[in-house]
Amino acid sequence: MRIGILGAGRIAKVHARSIAAHPGASVAMIADPCEDAARELAEAHGARHTADPAEVISDPEVDAIIICSPTPLHAEQILAAAKVGKPVLCEKPIAMDTETIDKLFADLEGLDPQVMLGFNRRFDPSFAKVRRLVDGGVIGKVEQVTIISRDPAAPPREYLASSGGIFKDMTIHEFDMARFFLGDIATVFAVGQNLDPELADSGDFDGAIITLTNADGVAATITNSRHCSAGYDQRLEVFGDKATVNADNIRETTVQVSTGEATDAKDPYLDFFLERYDAAYRLELAEFIDAVENKRTPSPSLKDGAAALAIAEAAEKSARTGTPVTL
Amino acid sequence: MRIGILGAGRIAKVHARSIAAHPGASVAMIADPCEDAARELAEAHGARHTADPAEVISDPEVDAIIICSPTPLHAEQILAAAKVGKPVLCEKPIAMDTETIDKLFADLEGLDPQVMLGFNRRFDPSFAKVRRLVDGGVIGKVEQVTIISRDPAAPPREYLASSGGIFKDMTIHEFDMARFFLGDIATVFAVGQNLDPELADSGDFDGAIITLTNADGVAATITNSRHCSAGYDQRLEVFGDKATVNADNIRETTVQVSTGEATDAKDPYLDFFLERYDAAYRLELAEFIDAVENKRTPSPSLKDGAAALAIAEAAEKSARTGTPVTL
Amino acid sequence: MRIGILGAGRIAKVHARSIAAHPGASVAMIADPCEDAARELAEAHGARHTADPAEVISDPEVDAIIICSPTPLHAEQILAAAKVGKPVLCEKPIAMDTETIDKLFADLEGLDPQVMLGFNRRFDPSFAKVRRLVDGGVIGKVEQVTIISRDPAAPPREYLASSGGIFKDMTIHEFDMARFFLGDIATVFAVGQNLDPELADSGDFDGAIITLTNADGVAATITNSRHCSAGYDQRLEVFGDKATVNADNIRETTVQVSTGEATDAKDPYLDFFLERYDAAYRLELAEFIDAVENKRTPSPSLKDGAAALAIAEAAEKSARTGTPVTL
Amino acid sequence: MRIGILGAGRIAKVHARSIAAHPGASVAMIADPCEDAARELAEAHGARHTADPAEVISDPEVDAIIICSPTPLHAEQILAAAKVGKPVLCEKPIAMDTETIDKLFADLEGLDPQVMLGFNRRFDPSFAKVRRLVDGGVIGKVEQVTIISRDPAAPPREYLASSGGIFKDMTIHEFDMARFFLGDIATVFAVGQNLDPELADSGDFDGAIITLTNADGVAATITNSRHCSAGYDQRLEVFGDKATVNADNIRETTVQVSTGEATDAKDPYLDFFLERYDAAYRLELAEFIDAVENKRTPSPSLKDGAAALAIAEAAEKSARTGTPVTL
């Protein structure tokens, strides 16, 4: 499969590397308005490049598209690809607001698009195993899900300004993970925190506690922070009536040091998301390629992306008003 | 110190055993309306017994009182002991409602009572160490506290009926633990769950997720369940800007079994609270005796008990109405 | 059961405390040539005292004897107790050499003595559970046993001089533990180390690696050191054809600290043997009392003590000659 | 760097994959007497193939050689490559006996060959980190090294017959690991076990315990088994006067399952060596390429291979005679 990539930034590089490592795929063409970036990444992979994403989408030697461009461009690029019948793997989030998504769904009507959303964490080997344990009945009826997600350090203030806020930018992954185990979410209650003095006037939260429930009363708790001294803290626990299952952080080695001060001290957490979710990105790509080749609907879908964004908007509203929001 | 115990039930036995193991204290007298129970426990400790708690309170050879009677009796017994100037260690909660507590505080006015509340978990060696790490600056500024507390199995339905509900009966310990790290609580949001089919019509919740914040925006999350297949699940994590510190469950041994199915499989959690918090009960008693001997105000205090009950009432209200409650 | 204790030192205090905590036993009398020590310990337990151990052994109000005197006195005191038909719990080792033990066995001929050897580690809850897993078939056929035992810090040089050497003083516990899983030992190969500069001219080893095999070819490896910066390091692993089972060190709390330098850092190991094996001492006493009351042969027996000493002598010979020794 | 591979078997595939993933190297040519195997692997990597290893060694478009052929061919192929001045990465062991190695060293005299031995475990991220902690002074003076290495299941009997025996085939890796921390070995004592009924008459051991010491009295213990129900068991512990450091097994995920039977049960160990040491193989190749490019002597060297084989022969002799062997 010859794949075109829209964007040549950090996440585009990850996907290009995953494609190179996949036995059945190659990087065909890369588009980025910053043509130097496009050229550099293209050359590293023996691919062509352009400044214009439309060229990639229409190129006859490009079989599928991965969208790694800025969020405001996602919807139009999904639509353009759908119009020429090309499968798309689109980075999250689909858009910055649900209006844009509603319009996209309307525009896509009748096009039968094959679009996969880049919620890579569903493919993390540990989280995926937790899900298999649920599917296999090991956990029993899921009752409570506890998700902890903390970044190692806050991004630059300028990034925050255009990020869409913590819920759309960071928690969106946890909202999808909650949906992975709870299905559709019925209520959202979010507490936003502003504890980092450096971000005091950023207008965004730097920490958050969110409680989600589904129609059956199953609850998920998400704890977020924009900083964590111990590293990139990514944990999940699913509690059911038969078992409790958790996925711990990943370390670079299994070394443990014991001295008179502390024993069994382990490495810091694997840091940052490109390393922590390295396997997840590769497995996500494999699922995309497999779905395209077998003409299956890939999962997570565009609807999953829309649902996560709706929760993010509800969380923002809840945190701002101090009241729960019903979806 | 010669100690009188009001009540001869399960928790009274725990305290009697702790007193016997303490080098500076002895069980002097035990009162229980069920005189057989009082006699049996008294004989095991070489103590006197009676059916009437007032006798214990007024006995000249009783220096201090431990109240292990049913909750509705706590307030009057505290008052009676205060009137004769005897120190009291009272089991939680003080009362079933804040009105009773308010009246108690009014009645105690001018009596300068020495009363300690039985929030034994503050004395659990692991939780106490987490607190010392906070005090010592290791954790930095506390930002998020995560408490998980699940009972191994639901109590009998008849117990539930008179328990006062999950928040006053079970979560009250977690509310105190949240206050141990956050101080006074400003807002409470609680989600009640009713997932256990056996308890469907009990009128009580069998699971709960509670989010608490203090005036500085620090948040605590509590996850409760009345059942847990893996045992009595009691965990605490405190996240600060310098470190994350957690206290794990306790097992009977350090044995780990590795087979082709699973590796490093440990014992089930220590079960139930008498075993899990065995050391905590002993250390709590030691603190009580030390405070009395040195005429210090013991901690946790009557006010701590009142504050925890106020949170429990707010949580009940929040869970019933679906809205956060401000304290 | 009224128990007399010969000796009033560190280990005598441990046994006195265990007796006090046992519902069916009391400390009756304590003998120590240092009469002040005997008096002090006796008074703490409401017991009588004497400078002469013979008085305790013959006292009609003493039902059983615990021998905590220096090793050179053990054999004669066991014999004296056996002659008056009193059960004995004797601290390890029985004697400093096998000749003394052979003579003791000859002297005991016909006396049918009830003697238990103080190999307390067999009663450690974790090690005992490993043994139960072997007995229950979980581990399958035992093939390899790995024992690590390191003291937190070397004892004073003067202690070492009279200790009988590392194998009789320290490793004797591991030799018994190896026998606990392998039964009779057939061959011994020991490497002695002298790595601590402070002990360079002590004439004793400060570290040792011992390989033991039984007649079926099952092997045990023991790694000893007189010092360990991380604390008192006491671990056991049993490998069989169905499972590998290990018992880890014990810590005072379950607290784990995570920072940017290290994550999940735990407490140092519980330190020293009085704390680490506190439960083992209590359970050992309970077994002794139960065996006496039910007129059972207590285990570990005098023969177990003799066997461990024979291994210690073989290990010393092996380490000094550099060749394996066959038992 | 254009690399030729001698052999097209299991380990050749591993190296070919590592080469493909390395940004500065490519597979140029593959030789295997089974030409179909050579063709298949060559085609997967866009390389040429041949039945004759001499062709690869002499090919002008091959810059370096990786020897993955059967052990009896290693010495002559190393020599052939050295004669044409090509760097070699040779799989372990160099040869089946030290005579062959002595002859090889004589033949190589004056050729200044650049040969690296495939002791890939030195590059395992965990073991390498333990070594860095030693080098960095964290562990202090190394005193005792404990290595546990157990295969998940015995290889076929026909493999065993030509394997050279457990010490040359399996333990050779541990011998190198012991040398990684102890340097030159002075004495070897080995106990061979024959516990697997299926291998009773194989003439080889299926388990072994080896004690090694260096001239300074530092000791290493190796515990081997040809089978392990829990998987491929690969652990290392280094004890020094400042710290104890261990490297645990690796699992596929960080998932832990807790039920009423067992808690925190983890995945089986990563299994088998291709998976467990996947990163080690890649990092080994990177070191080889870097050493070649920078004209450095690669490490581990041919001498390291010779030293490990000498220990293996000493271990075999010790296990067969029951006496220690001095090197």
Side-chain angles (χ1 to χ4, degrees), chain C residues 248-271:
Chain C
D248 193 12
N249 285 299
I250 301 180
R251 281 118 174 137
E252 195 177 341
T253 76
T254 64
V255 171
Q256 297 183 313
V257 178
S258 297
T259 67
E261 276 79 47
T263 59
D264 286 5
K266 300 177 188 166
D267 286 354
Y269 311 143
L270 213 57
D271 179 338

Side-chain angles (χ1 to χ4, degrees), chain D:
Chain D
M1 187 174 306
R2 298 162 302 179
I3 299 180
I5 302 177
L6 311 188
R10 189 167 57 172
I11 196 69
K13 283 174 188 155
V14 172
H15 287 299
R17 211 169 51 207
S18 294
I19 294 167
H22 192 285
S26 62
V27 183
M29 200 171 181
I30 289 166
D32 199 294
C34 169
E35 218 172 328
D36 281 354
R39 181 185 306 112
E40 192 181 341
L41 185 56
E43 281 175 357
H45 289 276
R48 291 169 293 140
H49 71 276
T50 170
D52 180 9
E55 271 189 52
V56 175
I57 293 170
S58 63
D59 192 280
E61 311 226 315
V62 166
D63 304 317
I65 305 286
I66 299 184
I67 300 178
C68 306
S69 51
T71 301
L73 301 176
H74 288 184
E76 63 190 71
Q77 292 176 342
I78 289 171
L79 183 61
K83 283 183 176 165
V84 297
K86 290 192 181 170
V88 169
L89 168 58
C90 180
E91 270 304 318
K92 60 86 210 170
I94 308 176
M96 279 304 189
D97 53 79
T98 48
E99 289 73 30
T100 308
I101 294 182
D102 289 344
K103 185 167 180 314
L104 173 62
F105 274 108
D107 291 343
L108 289 172
E109 202 73 43
L111 292 176
D112 193 22
Q114 199 174 18
V115 184
M116 178 171 172
L117 245 287
F119 286 129
N120 59 306
R121 293 187 194 176
R122 292 192 181 205
F123 302 93
D124 174 77
S126 294
F127 297 165
K129 177 169 179 180
V130 175
R131 173 62 191 261
R132 285 199 307 276
L133 291 170
V134 170
D135 293 344
V138 171
I139 294 177
K141 186 164 160 287
V142 171
E143 298 188 355
Q144 298 170 331
V145 173
T146 304
I147 303 171
I148 291 178
S149 173
R150 297 182 179 118
D151 284 350
R157 288 176 62 100
E158 44 276 31
Y159 174 86
L160 282 185
S162 66
S163 72
I166 192 170
F167 299 112
K168 288 180 193 170
D169 180 58
M170 178 177 175
T171 327
I172 191 120
H173 277 298
E174 283 75 64
F175 292 140
D176 182 64
M177 194 50 50
R179 291 188 69 253
F180 197 36
F181 291 100
L182 268 67
D184 284 339
I185 299 302
T187 69
V188 180
F189 178 72
V191 170
Q193 296 181 298
N194 205 300
L195 299 172
D196 186 339
E198 306 257 326
L199 302 176
D201 58 354
S202 68
D204 194 9
F205 301 115
D206 51 51
I209 313 282
I210 306 107
T211 308
L212 307 171
T213 60
N214 69 12
D216 296 328
V218 182
T221 315
I222 297 167
T223 300
N224 276 154
S225 177
R226 279 291 193 188
H227 65 92
C228 177
S229 60
Y232 188 39
D233 189 6
Q234 298 287 300
R235 286 174 286 159
L236 168 70
E237 178 166 305
V238 177
F239 166 74
D241 62 354
K242 287 194 185 163
T244 311
V245 172
N246 64 70
D248 193 12
N249 285 299
I250 300 180
R251 282 117 174 139
E252 197 176 339
T253 75
T254 63
V255 171
Q256 298 183 313
V257 179
S258 298
T259 68
E261 277 78 49
T263 58
D264 286 5
K266 300 176 187 166
D267 285 355
Y269 312 142
L270 212 56
D271 179 339
F272 190 30
F273 65 94
L274 301 183
E275 291 74 30
R276 169 62 177 85
Y277 289 114
D278 178 55
Y281 282 113
R282 280 187 287 105
L283 294 164
E284 177 190 58
L285 181 77
E287 158 65 12
F288 175 64
I289 292 174
D290 187 74
V292 170
E293 285 181 346
N294 296 289
K295 303 189 196 314
R296 284 193 291 105
T297 307
S299 170
S301 68
L302 207 51
K303 279 196 196 313
D304 290 317
L309 191 75
I311 302 173
E313 294 198 333
E316 185 81 31
K317 188 176 161 191
S318 174
R320 296 291 171 192
T321 63
T323 54
V325 173
T326 303
L327 287 169

Side-chain angles (χ1 to χ4, degrees), chain B residues 81-141:
Chain B
K83 282 182 175 165
V84 296
K86 291 193 180 169
V88 170
L89 169 58
C90 180
E91 271 305 316
K92 60 88 212 171
I94 308 175
M96 280 304 190
D97 53 78
T98 48
E99 290 73 29
T100 307
I101 294 181
D102 289 345
K103 185 169 181 311
L104 173 62
F105 275 108
D107 291 343
L108 288 172
E109 202 75 44
L111 291 177
D112 193 22
Q114 198 173 20
V115 184
M116 177 171 171
L117 245 288
F119 286 128
N120 58 307
R121 293 186 194 178
R122 293 192 181 206
F123 301 93
D124 174 76
S126 293
F127 297 165
K129 178 169 178 178
V130 176
R131 173 60 191 264
R132 285 198 308 275
L133 291 171
V134 171
D135 294 343
V138 171
I139 295 177
K141 186 163 162 283

Side-chain angles (χ1 to χ4, degrees), chain B residues 165-178:
Chain B
I166 192 170
F167 299 112
K168 288 180 192 171
D169 179 58
M170 178 176 175
T171 327
I172 190 120
H173 277 298
E174 281 76 64
F175 292 140
D176 182 64
M177 194 51 49

